[in-house]
Amino acid sequence: MTSKTVQQRGTVTIRFAGDSGDGMQLTGNRFTSVSAVLGNDVATLPDFPAEIRAPAGSLPGVSGFQLHFADHDILTPGDAPDVLVAMNPAALKTNVEDLDPGATIIVNSDAFSPGNLRKARYDTNPLEDATLDAFNVISVPLSTLTVGALDDTDLGKKEKERAKNMFALGLMSWMFSRPTEPTIEWVRTKFASQPELAEANITAFTAGFAFGETTELFAHSYEVKPAELPPGRYRQITGNAAIAYGLVAAAECTGLPLFLGGYPITPASDVLHELARLKHFGVRTFQAEDEIAGVGAALGAAFAGNLAATVTSGPGVALKAETIGLAVSVELPLLILNIQRGGPSTGLPTKTEQSDLLQAMYGRNGEAPVPIVAASTPGDCFDAAIEAARIAVTYRTPVFVLSDGYLANGAEPWRIPAVDDLPDLRSAVRFATEPNHDGEFWPFQRDPETLARPWATPGTAGLEHRIGGLEKADGTGNISYDPDNHHRMTELRAAKIARIAETIPPLAVDHVEGARLLVLGWGSTYGPIRAAVRRARADGGLVATAHLRHLNPFPSNLGDVLRSYDRVLVPEMNAGQLRRLLRADFLVDVHGYHRVSGLPFTTAELVDAISHELKGLS
Amino acid sequence: MTDTAAPPLRKKDFSSDQEVRWCPGCGDYAILANVQGIMPSLGIARENLVFVSGIGCAARFPYYMETYGFHSIHGRAPAIATGISATRPDLKVFVVTGDGDALSIGGNHLIHAMRRNANLTILLFNNQIYGLTKGQYSPTSELGKITKSTPMGSLDYPFNPVSVALGAEATFVARSIDNEREHLTDMLTRAAAHEGTAFIEIYQNCNIFNDGAFDAVRKNRPQQIRLEHGQPIRFGADHEFGVALKRTGQLEIVDVASVGEDGLLVHDAHRADPGLAFMLSRLSHTPEGPTPIGLFRQIERPVYGTGLNRQVDAAIARRGRGELADLLAGSDSWVVAG
Ligand code: SF4
């Protein structure tokens, strides 16, 4: 066995694609873990169908997992894959359009049967005609090789064949010089109760690795050196795990027990699952009968003195709107996590979009301002949750946290924060214990600094009081239909939210000398925007960029920042929702770039959008 | 601030300084007085009592109680109250609701609270009409009800609230009447002592929009059947009628004179199976025919909040109190050197 040459690469994007039942998510996740542990920077984009099991071999049944790994810090899961692993014709058909000429395609040739070709709507076999001439196609009989490697086992043919994703993973591990030990370890742990299955998977995996080394099909392998990340201890994390951990951390920071009321909904359910496992942190999760009850129970728990949250996606927020309005009216802390997905209505449950900003901003009856915090990366979901809790508890208000499907399921290396560095929010809780007004308790007598009302929880003797959704008299909290009082209370509620801006850091701008264009983003477009700005600058473009964490209220310097550039471009995965807010608030002619395909922006399209704006300025 | 030497609380200690705003003559007044009246006997500190309501005439109730209170939104009180009671087992949580609030807009929350056996005492004031919105038919209005929204008569078949509660397998189901002071006091006291969801339907007269809806079954009227656990079920002006279980498995109204006392069904409120109680609730679908009041059913079943808190305790006992640093570090981390 002659050992093949190893070529260095700075960055590689791989996409694994196959049937939903082919284990592509698992394969992709495994490859990501190994790459992260190896020290590469990684970013991932799982892409699965909304149906749990669409018919095998069909186009809607294709499940994909893209990952980008590099020897430098990267910001996106990559635009066009350098390598596509296609487990069947349908996977090839649905993904080949995303490839640039010259890309490598590894196909499972065994799956290109007449039946599968028909299901994928291929009239002829693309492996045998000119369809793929622009690419470097490597046909590997993955099924046959896997079954062959497992000859000695007692497994049935079907079970043997099922291990083909491990064969493919082994092959890719060889191709990109990934260590094998961590994966073998991992398989052993995962199948600890089924040692026979564990060994079969390991055999398939090592056979795939060995195949790469020996076959004539591959001339060389590649290596991607570790990236230089800031020092520290790292782990991989998805946005949904990070947001769940952020809630647990916020509970510790505030010293309050955490309560989560929820209802299963894609792509938010994993937050409920994650927290349901963390009961030993004192976390109470409640799977309610519907979205409304999920938030209702959370609001009740907030009244009772918990750090209360509800987690959902856009359709769930629509149902919760009335209760969120009640939370505004009774002024209790409540976290509403919206893991956004494509809309309207049921829309695209498994795809990403950031089109619920205006829903968060305005989706209630009456004047009902709610603060909004948005996460920009999977790991940032952690900090966003803690910041939302700080605002909620300090100002006694519901707060929206906006994440999305891309952040929820995407993973990145995350520098593990030190618990001691987390904010101490206990002083913000300050439960009321004493009468506050001439020996009486006035539930709506506000803190002069924050305008927050006292939080007196049931069980506190002497502070018995009633709250509700009817308008309350300023101070006493008694029902009041007085016209002037209603106007004053409306202004007070708005002023309270506006005051949050005093505790928000000013918007930091990544400016370059001479830049007249500002690219401003919010939420999960952070990565693609930064990557595009970086590339535009490398091409000589003078571009500044900034990213908003707080959407309501805005940081107080935002107007000045906007006005200090000749042109502002806001790329959004919606039809221009932040753009609309900025125009309305600051009378600045903000330009937008909008696309709602259910997928994150590619760097390339944003580079184009930036250069278009730069041209307009010259 | 509770002083051990403080004098025992009295009824008036539970009435808030808010002016009661129901229509003069409304049945709600009698219920309020009754609820306030039983409070001192519960032996629960005032600060540990919480009244939660939705929307409607009945929903104003918490404002009049000198306890903690939450007047929420239409239909959602059971959900909000579940969040309170599940996280704070030290509190006694009441839900005050009406027929529209509980059975129309909030029907889903009501049945699930009962199925779950959340620790709640639910008082449903049934007046068979929408009062606060000025007189539309409600989900308990009799078929053919003529109201502003149904000028030719309502078309939809009404709910019988006790049947609904039994269908949802509530662990405590009772019925009483606004002005039957002793009976209502008895039912309220028993409900408040129950562990889990206690549901009481209270016939409540809305003298403005549906006056006299329950006249046929009020005190000393022949159609009222008083259920007493362990007693044969009899009713009528001279207790001349009774309820018997037929061989077909159905209930039937019989002349006591013809079947004898021994032929009557003896009420068992603690049967595990809700079937017989359900049949009793079906003797008459609406309160015009023979209508039982009293305790239909009371059984024991694990309480939701207790279970929730036990799981937390068990997880801590098994795994130790969670360490945030361990959680954040996870099992698969690596170090990037400086
Ligand atoms: S409308 Fe009817 S139920 Fe409402 S307060 Fe008046 S009498 Fe009572």
Side-chain angles (χ1 to χ4, degrees), chain A residues 233-234 284 458-460 466, chain B residues 47 67-68 88 309 333-334 336:
Chain A
R233 180 168 280 281
Y234 283 77
R284 285 166 181 81
T460 315
R466 277 63 56 193
Chain B
E47 64 269 20
T67 62
Y68 281 90
R88 290 287 304 277
N309 294 306
S333 65
W334 66 94
V336 172

Side-chain angles (χ1 to χ4, degrees), chain B residues 21-28 57-58 127 129-132 204-210:
Chain B
R21 300 230 198 155
W22 290 308
C23 306
C26 174
D28 289 352
C57 292
N127 55 19
I129 200 79
Y130 280 93
L132 196 62
Q204 175 248 323
N205 196 39
C206 170
N207 54 311
I208 301 295
F209 295 109
N210 203 17

